[in-house]
Amino acid sequence: NAEYMGGVKIRASFRFMSRLNLDTGSAVTIISELTNANNPQDVCCFLTEDQKLQRLPQIAQELAAPGILAAELRGYMSSRSLCMTTVAHEMFANIVRLYAGPKEMTRATELLSTVELIAPMEFPAFQAVRRTQKVTESLITIFATAEASGMLTLTTNSAFVRALRQQGIVVNAIAHESRSLTGL
């Protein structure tokens, strides 16, 4: 029994997985002002024309269906323990330090206060994975750790999940739309 989300096949058994691994893109999306604004149009008022152009698809998605992604993410996270590999945490912290605004920094602090950090682990199936532009060492570490720990991974990186599948590896992952930080 399966369904599709973000172009990635997910199994019905995922709803029974009690721990949720957040990759870097998911953590960024969770704290983004675009994801959390009551009115996405308000966010646009504070962005430069260049910033609007860079985020045009994301803005269009939020304007077309305000709050849908936030609700979807809350649904995935509800009644699950949130985890993050130390690799994803370090990448996330650097992104937040460089690009987050005050509201996003507050959300990052709140999110990280609920997240259990997990040291990198190996997972046998990942040892033979070919590294490519889409299959990087840090992504392999994030997903291998989740698989070794029996966790479901929430990701914005469906390309990575598909690239793994092309190499014969199916991971426990749910892909969702991404949102970038706004500096708000």
Side-chain angles (χ1 to χ4, degrees):
N1 194 6
E3 57 185 278
Y4 286 84
M5 214 172 275
V8 176
K9 185 176 177 180
I10 63 167
R11 293 183 289 279
S13 61
F14 285 177
R15 72 185 115 142
F16 300 111
M17 297 179 93
S18 63
R19 297 172 74 205
L20 185 66
N21 177 44
L22 303 177
D23 78 353
T24 308
S26 289
V28 167
T29 299
I30 290 164
I31 69 160
S32 171
E33 184 64 12
L34 271 175
T35 307
N36 291 284
N38 290 329
N39 182 358
Q41 194 65 43
D42 292 344
V43 175
C44 295
C45 296
F46 294 99
L47 299 177
T48 66
E49 288 306 312
D50 231 17
Q51 290 171 324
K52 287 178 194 174
L53 284 174
Q54 291 171 352
R55 294 166 180 81
L56 200 54
Q58 297 175 6
I59 291 169
Q61 289 168 346
E62 284 298 327
L63 290 173
I68 296 297
L69 179 58
E72 184 180 308
L73 295 172
R74 279 192 303 275
Y76 295 142
M77 296 186 304
S78 70
S79 71
R80 286 194 170 103
S81 299
L82 301 181
C83 302
M84 185 181 268
T85 65
T86 54
V87 171
H89 174 265
E90 184 178 322
M91 293 166 57
F92 176 66
N94 285 333
I95 292 168
V96 168
R97 184 177 44 78
L98 292 171
Y99 302 108
K103 291 179 183 179
E104 293 166 331
M105 283 190 176
T106 298
R107 283 190 206 100
T109 301
E110 290 169 359
L111 175 64
L112 291 175
S113 74
T114 67
V115 168
E116 175 190 355
L117 294 182
I118 307 289
M121 294 183 208
E122 291 188 12
F123 192 68
F126 283 80
Q127 290 176 347
V129 171
R130 288 181 316 282
R131 275 62 171 167
T132 66
Q133 282 186 316
K134 292 180 182 171
V135 181
T136 65
E137 198 62 42
S138 59
L139 288 170
I140 289 170
T141 300
I142 292 166
F143 280 80
T145 301
E147 292 298 310
S149 302
M151 290 188 280
L152 176 62
T153 297
L154 191 60
T155 183
T156 58
N157 201 333
S158 58
F160 175 78
V161 174
R162 282 191 302 273
L164 281 181
R165 191 173 37 212
Q166 290 170 352
Q167 293 190 42
I169 297 173
V170 177
V171 292
N172 295 308
I174 296 177
H176 61 86
E177 297 293 329
S178 66
R179 298 291 181 265
S180 55
L181 298 181
T182 63
L184 299 176

